[in-house]
């Protein structure tokens, strides 16, 4: 008998233009945001049955996350991450989620590669 030690679905590099930020030019002009998701899901029921309803339809989830990125502006990427966490946990099979929001075009006056915020939450 096998034991599930942490099946995962990962969706990385989902990008879209959003109008989030505290500065007027961020709200006006928009910028690219990139999201990485790691979902803890027991994949065995879907693997055995071949039934998509037993897992997370990552195509639909990607569309939901895209809609959040392109949706109502927020000041902080922390708020954006929390909105995405809540959508992910709304999918029944998801037990735990890690959401990382990247803001590679953040208005920082020195050289940098990326700014990220990561939130992890579980249903337990």
């Amino acid at each position: 008998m096998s034991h599930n030690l942490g099946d995962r679905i990962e969706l990385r590099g989902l990008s879209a233009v959003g109008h989030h930020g505290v500065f007027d030019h961020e709200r006006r002009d928009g910028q690219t945001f990139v999201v990485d998701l790691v979902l803890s899901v027991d994949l065995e029921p879907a693997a055995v049955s071949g039934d998509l309803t037993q897992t997370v339809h990552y195509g639909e989830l990607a569309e939901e996350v895209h809609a959040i990125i392109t949706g109502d502006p927020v000041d902080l990427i922390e708020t954006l991450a929390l909105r995405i966490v809540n959508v992910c946990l709304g999918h029944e099979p998801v037990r735990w989620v890690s959401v990382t929001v990247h803001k590679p075009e953040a208005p920082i006056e020195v050289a940098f590669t990326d700014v990220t915020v990561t939130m992890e939450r579980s249903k337990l």
Side-chain angles (χ1 to χ4, degrees), residues 2-10 37-48 54-56 93-98:
S2 65
H3 297 283
N4 179 346
L5 298 178
D7 299 345
R8 293 190 312 263
I9 294 173
E10 299 186 22
L37 305 175
V38 181
L39 310 171
S40 171
V41 177
D42 183 356
L43 298 177
E44 190 166 341
V48 170
Q54 297 293 309
T55 186
V56 175
V94 175
R95 300 179 297 198
W96 169 90
V97 63
S98 175

Side-chain angles (χ1 to χ4, degrees), residues 1-122:
M1 179 177 183
S2 65
H3 297 283
N4 179 346
L5 298 178
D7 299 345
R8 293 190 312 263
I9 294 173
E10 299 186 22
L11 177 59
R12 300 203 178 273
L14 194 158
S15 64
V17 174
H19 293 265
H20 312 290
V22 295
F23 297 113
D24 290 341
H25 65 87
E26 292 181 292
R27 293 292 183 105
R28 181 186 65 241
D29 302 335
Q31 62 190 289
T32 300
F33 294 85
V34 182
V35 173
D36 300 326
L37 305 175
V38 181
L39 310 171
S40 171
V41 177
D42 183 356
L43 298 177
E44 190 166 341
V48 170
S49 69
D51 183 356
L52 181 59
T53 65
Q54 297 293 309
T55 186
V56 175
H57 189 310
Y58 45 79
E60 290 179 359
L61 181 60
E63 290 177 11
E64 291 170 351
V65 172
H66 185 273
I68 293 170
I69 297 170
T70 61
D72 293 338
V74 296
D75 288 344
L76 303 177
I77 57 175
E78 289 86 343
T79 306
L80 195 61
L82 183 59
R83 286 182 177 180
I84 296 168
V85 162
N86 289 334
V87 163
C88 292
L89 290 177
H91 287 260
E92 181 60 32
V94 175
R95 300 179 297 198
W96 169 90
V97 63
S98 175
V99 172
T100 300
V101 176
H102 301 256
K103 190 176 180 180
E105 301 166 15
I108 296 175
E109 297 300 321
V110 297
F112 76 103
T113 302
D114 198 6
V115 173
T116 67
V117 167
T118 300
M119 295 184 87
E120 298 180 354
R121 299 289 185 272
S122 72

